[in-house]
Amino acid sequence: MKQNMKPAYFSALSILGQHDEAMDVSQEAFIRAYNYFDKYDRNKKFFTWYYKILKNLCLNRIRDTKNKRESDLESFSNLLSIESAEETYINEELKNKVSEALLDLKPEEREILILREFENFSYKDIAELLNIPEGSVMSKLFYTRKKLSKKLTSKM
Amino acid sequence: MNERFIYLLEKYFENELLPEEKIEFNSLLENDEELKKEFSEQKKVKEVLSKMSLKNPTNEFWDKYWMSTYNRLERGIAWIVISVGAIILFTYAALEAIEQFFADNSAPIIIKIGIATLIVGFVMLLFSLFREKIFNSAKDKYKEIQR
């Protein structure tokens, strides 16, 4: 289970957009996975099974804290940290704009974009995790990038 | 949007276009200004995102993360054990109290009947709740998911 710790945390972060909640929910998902390990089909990847538990817990958390999040929007907008691989080319302002634009996306849009662009999951893996066809993954990524581009343009 | 274009575009980003697909993709871009614009927009977003990454927490964070997961799991088990112990003790104390109460000849019979009726009702209620929980648990495919 330990090797899945990082993808688990980052996946939760991509959906929730908050460090503390991502840590809490991803840990809770590990505990549930441990408690229900007898239900795990050994022929499938552990992370795919774990991800279903994680995603449902994330969606529950979003539902439970929806009203609170509206008012906390300002405070959590900076918590999704993005670092530039080349500081000289990407300035702080652009990083903040991208961060804000990512947080403006719907959780499911942010989720698929981060899985692909930041966590480098393959289309096949994403299709498996989200239980949708690979073609839909490509399509969703395309429209999410388009939406992100519009949000970035409006913030420039 | 043209689904074929999206498919080819994604393959282009992954450097997985076959020679014939490359020709098809270039032809789509050359003949359609709208697609060319989409391509440029998507490429720009990809470039911006490729220069960024999610900040990786420190090694200390990951050590604490796993330790904290173990602690939560252990505490969950500890609470279950404490609860079982408390139930055993409470049940023993309740049975002792009931036995003594019914053995006491000075207690009025009407009180004894009232207490006995209360106990039967309570046991029936517990049994009903327990049966319902077992039934739902057996039928619910998504029981591991918190609602």
Side-chain angles (χ1 to χ4, degrees):
Chain A
M1 282 196 197
K2 207 170 178 176
Q3 67 196 29
N4 295 298
M5 174 172 74
K6 289 185 182 183
Y9 165 77
F10 285 123
S11 300
L13 187 66
S14 72
I15 302 172
L16 298 167
Q18 276 197 308
H19 164 77
D20 290 343
E21 287 193 355
M23 195 169 87
D24 184 42
V25 171
S26 58
Q27 287 179 333
E28 178 65 28
F30 275 119
I31 292 167
R32 278 169 194 255
Y34 178 83
N35 288 338
Y36 292 96
F37 201 66
D38 57 318
K39 303 275 182 288
Y40 165 53
D41 179 357
R42 307 288 166 105
N43 297 319
K44 292 181 182 168
K45 283 184 193 164
F46 170 78
F47 193 74
T48 308
W49 177 71
Y50 167 85
Y51 192 83
K52 286 191 172 76
I53 300 173
L54 177 74
K55 192 170 176 186
N56 278 294
L57 287 175
C58 285
L59 296 178
N60 282 339
R61 185 63 64 97
I62 288 172
R63 185 200 58 200
D64 294 346
T65 57
K66 201 175 177 187
N67 295 330
K68 216 165 69 181
R69 287 174 74 85
E70 294 297 323
S71 58
D72 285 352
L73 192 67
E74 193 69 33
S75 63
F76 87 78
S77 67
N78 295 321
L79 289 174
L80 185 69
S81 304
I82 296 174
E83 61 186 12
S84 154
E86 297 165 330
E87 288 291 341
T88 47
Y89 294 107
I90 306 292
N91 60 34
E92 201 64 32
E93 199 184 340
L94 179 61
K95 281 196 284 183
N96 288 338
K97 301 274 182 215
V98 173
S99 178
E100 280 174 30
L102 281 172
L103 285 162
D104 278 351
L105 294 174
K106 288 180 188 166
E108 62 270 24
E109 293 168 337
R110 193 166 56 237
E111 173 192 22
I112 197 167
L113 194 74
I114 290 180
L115 282 172
R116 179 70 208 110
E117 307 295 348
F118 293 136
E119 293 195 65
N120 294 318
F121 278 94
S122 67
Y123 295 116
K124 190 170 172 261
D125 286 341
I126 297 173
E128 215 171 274
L129 290 177
L130 304 182
N131 201 19
I132 54 174
E134 269 186 67
S136 301
V137 173
M138 290 177 171
S139 184
K140 278 174 190 282
L141 275 169
F142 175 85
Y143 288 109
T144 302
R145 266 191 233 111
K146 196 171 165 63
K147 196 169 173 182
L148 188 73
S149 172
K150 277 198 183 123
K151 287 188 183 294
L152 281 173
T153 311
S154 71
K155 287 176 191 294
M156 295 293 182
Chain B
M1 182 53 61
N2 185 334
E3 288 300 319
R4 180 70 184 162
F5 170 72
I6 294 174
Y7 171 77
L8 293 173
L9 178 75
E10 294 299 327
K11 283 193 87 175
Y12 167 85
F13 285 140
E14 299 309 304
N15 284 324
E16 284 175 356
L17 279 178
L18 302 170
E20 60 273 24
E21 288 176 332
K22 210 169 188 174
I23 295 166
E24 188 187 351
F25 185 58
N26 286 335
S27 156
L28 279 171
L29 293 180
E30 279 164 21
N31 298 320
D32 192 325
E33 274 304 309
E34 192 61 35
L35 294 185
K36 204 171 176 178
K37 210 176 123 195
E38 292 286 356
F39 171 66
S40 159
E41 188 185 41
Q42 294 275 325
K43 203 174 170 190
K44 206 184 266 178
V45 174
K46 281 283 282 186
E47 278 169 6
V48 169
L49 294 179
S50 70
K51 286 172 182 165
M52 299 181 178
S53 63
L54 289 170
K55 197 179 272 178
N56 196 359
T58 58
N59 288 338
E60 196 188 1
F61 166 85
W62 293 118
D63 291 342
K64 276 185 187 167
Y65 178 96
W66 205 244
M67 188 51 72
S68 167
T69 309
Y70 277 129
N71 287 342
R72 287 175 66 168
L73 185 64
E74 278 169 1
R75 277 167 209 166
I77 294 168
W79 274 114
I80 291 171
V81 173
I82 288 169
S83 303
V84 170
I87 288 168
I88 291 170
L89 288 176
F90 178 78
T91 309
Y92 177 76
L95 285 173
E96 282 292 306
I98 290 164
E99 200 181 325
Q100 279 182 22
F101 177 74
F102 282 102
D104 182 5
N105 290 329
S106 64
I109 191 78
I110 190 75
I111 302 283
K112 284 184 179 177
I113 291 170
I115 298 270
T117 315
L118 263 178
I119 291 167
V120 170
F122 186 68
V123 169
M124 280 172 72
L125 188 67
L126 272 183
F127 176 74
S128 173
L129 288 172
F130 186 68
R131 191 183 53 188
E132 187 185 25
K133 197 156 179 60
I134 297 276
F135 179 78
N136 287 341
S137 175
K139 293 263 175 193
D140 189 359
K141 286 194 291 183
Y142 307 103
K143 61 187 166 189
E144 70 265 34
I145 294 160
Q146 184 192 347
R147 287 167 213 276

